[in-house]
Amino acid sequence: MDRIRREFTTLTLVMIPVAIAINVAVGQLVLALKIPLYLDSIGTVLVGVLVGPWAGALTGLLANFVWTFTGLFPEAIAWAGVAAIIGALAGAFRVGDWMKVWWKSLVAGLITGIIAAILSAPIAAYVFGGVTGAGTDAIVAMFRAAGLDMLGANMAQGVVSDPIDKAVTFLIIWAILLALPERIKARFSSE
Amino acid sequence: MRAPTLYLHRKSGLHALHPLTKLALAGFFLVAAATLPNLWLVLGVFVIGLAPLAAWGQVFKPFIRTSALLIWPFALSLFLIQGFFTPGENILLKIGPLAFKAEGIWLAAKFTARILVWLGAATLLMIVTRPDMLMLALIERGLPRQIAYIILTSLQIVPRFQGKAQVILDAQRSRGMETEGKLTHRLRMLVPLIGPLIMSSILDLDERAIALEARAFSREGRRTSLKSLHDTSMQAAFRWLMIALIVALIVVWLIRVLP
């Protein structure tokens, strides 16, 4: 309880909408550069890493609500729980001091990606009939052709795509932490 | 730049309903699509439930357009993937080693209908309900104000941040940054693009926080709102009816699926 209270200062509350808008805007930049990644949880990871796991979780959860509200990606709400766990994991890795070294950040991203993939697959398989309506469905089709069932193919697709996406996300956040003045970082810290 | 929300202003009976009434109705459609056992029943929810409601809300055309826009990527993936890879006997079409089967088509149609109703219910709710009014209604029922603040502020600033991203992209390009080329090169370009976006946003957070504090944001206690919601006892009764129907649908579904 005490930790939750310490994480949710006014500064954190103003940061969360900014982080959510960053998720959307970075998603757009990635499209403009034609990079085959999403990077749409970069703001969520940023809040998790700067503030802590509870704030990260809330950012992820509400980010997917906002995606739904904007109409850009209305099915996002089905994955709100996964997004919350991504934010919480980012916070946990920061508490565990993994975000100071580049390769530990990379490993943290890979682990987050694998967990996200495992949690997302049942949602895609049982709720959406094994598809997400995105380009990655081509990979799902490949795994189904190789003989995997609906859940298996979705999990395999996730394990192929998500860890790379999250590893790049965590590395970018590591670089940003490096560039941020100590004075600013201290303002967010809930320790 | 795209509009931040789907809301379309009309003077319709549907628009005039209390946000929670519309939320309960959307929830009912959502659960109905998830639990009804038969493709035709699910399609029926769309045809005799959602579509006439959209017509009543004077948003029939935009509603159908948005639904079509959202459903087609799902439909395409579902029919291709399930059509080819669902095990089955009734082969419709053979392309090399792959066979297109009737069983897969049925499965794809069922999921497509379901997703159509889900996305339709969600988009219709958002087309006819102002987000701030929905949040106000939820605050009155106990949603923390901070949550409403986060969602509404996000919706407001998303277009501004999309603009900001575009400005940074243009600025770096005008300095000669190459945004085409090999993937590894484009990946490296992410840092000079995302870096300024995040840095500049973090640096003006303090100002936002001070602006809120100056308006007693973190003060405890009840607030009065400038806006007010219109509710009737008829609508309250209707909401309870929807909740009862949702519970009934889930119970019937559980009886059917549990051994």
Side-chain angles (χ1 to χ4, degrees), chain B residues 20 135-147:
Chain B
L20 291 182
M135 288 302 148
L136 179 60
L138 290 171
I139 290 173
E140 286 178 355
R141 295 294 192 281
L143 180 85
R145 258 177 308 109
Q146 290 86 342
I147 304 287

Side-chain angles (χ1 to χ4, degrees), chain A residues 41-148:
Chain A
S41 50
I42 204 157
T44 306
V45 173
L46 181 72
V47 174
V49 166
L50 274 181
V51 185
W54 292 100
L58 185 70
T59 310
L61 185 82
L62 295 183
N64 281 34
F65 278 68
V66 169
W67 276 111
T68 296
F69 265 112
T70 58
L72 295 169
F73 181 32
E75 63 272 27
I77 206 163
W79 280 278
V82 182
I85 288 171
I86 292 172
L89 283 172
F93 283 121
R94 170 230 144 96
V95 174
D97 239 2
W98 282 47
M99 295 304 291
K100 295 233 167 85
V101 196
W102 73 268
W103 64 266
K104 275 193 184 171
S105 309
L106 180 99
V107 174
L110 291 174
I111 294 173
T112 306
I114 291 168
I115 294 175
I118 291 170
L119 295 174
S120 307
I123 301 175
Y126 298 123
V127 180
F128 292 100
V131 303
T132 50
T136 45
D137 282 348
I139 306 177
V140 175
M142 228 174 60
F143 282 114
R144 299 266 335 235
L148 289 178

Side-chain angles (χ1 to χ4, degrees), chain B residues 157-172:
Chain B
I157 65 176
V158 157
R160 204 183 311 155
F161 272 69
Q162 288 177 316
K164 218 169 166 178
Q166 194 58 47
V167 168
I168 294 172
L169 189 63
D170 291 342
Q172 301 288 39

Side-chain angles (χ1 to χ4, degrees), chain A residues 10 13-15 17-18 28 33-34 36 68-70 74-75 127 129 133 137 144-145 150 176 179 184 187-188, chain B residues 4 70 73-74 77-78 82 85 111 118 126 146 149-150 154 162 183 186 198-199 201 203 205-206 212-213:
Chain A
T10 303
L13 288 171
V14 298
M15 187 184 186
V18 168
Q28 180 195 342
L33 289 178
K34 299 191 202 70
T68 296
F69 265 112
T70 58
E75 63 272 27
V127 180
D137 282 348
R144 299 266 335 235
M150 212 146 79
I176 284 168
I184 305 260
R187 292 274 287 114
F188 290 101
Chain B
L70 291 170
F74 280 103
S77 289
L78 276 168
Q82 300 296 10
F85 302 118
F111 273 113
W118 285 336
M126 290 177 297
Q146 290 86 342
Y149 163 79
I150 291 172
S154 303
Q162 288 177 316
L183 181 61
R186 279 177 285 143
I198 294 185
M199 289 302 210
S201 335
L203 294 179
L205 282 178
D206 262 329
L212 280 183
E213 279 312 323

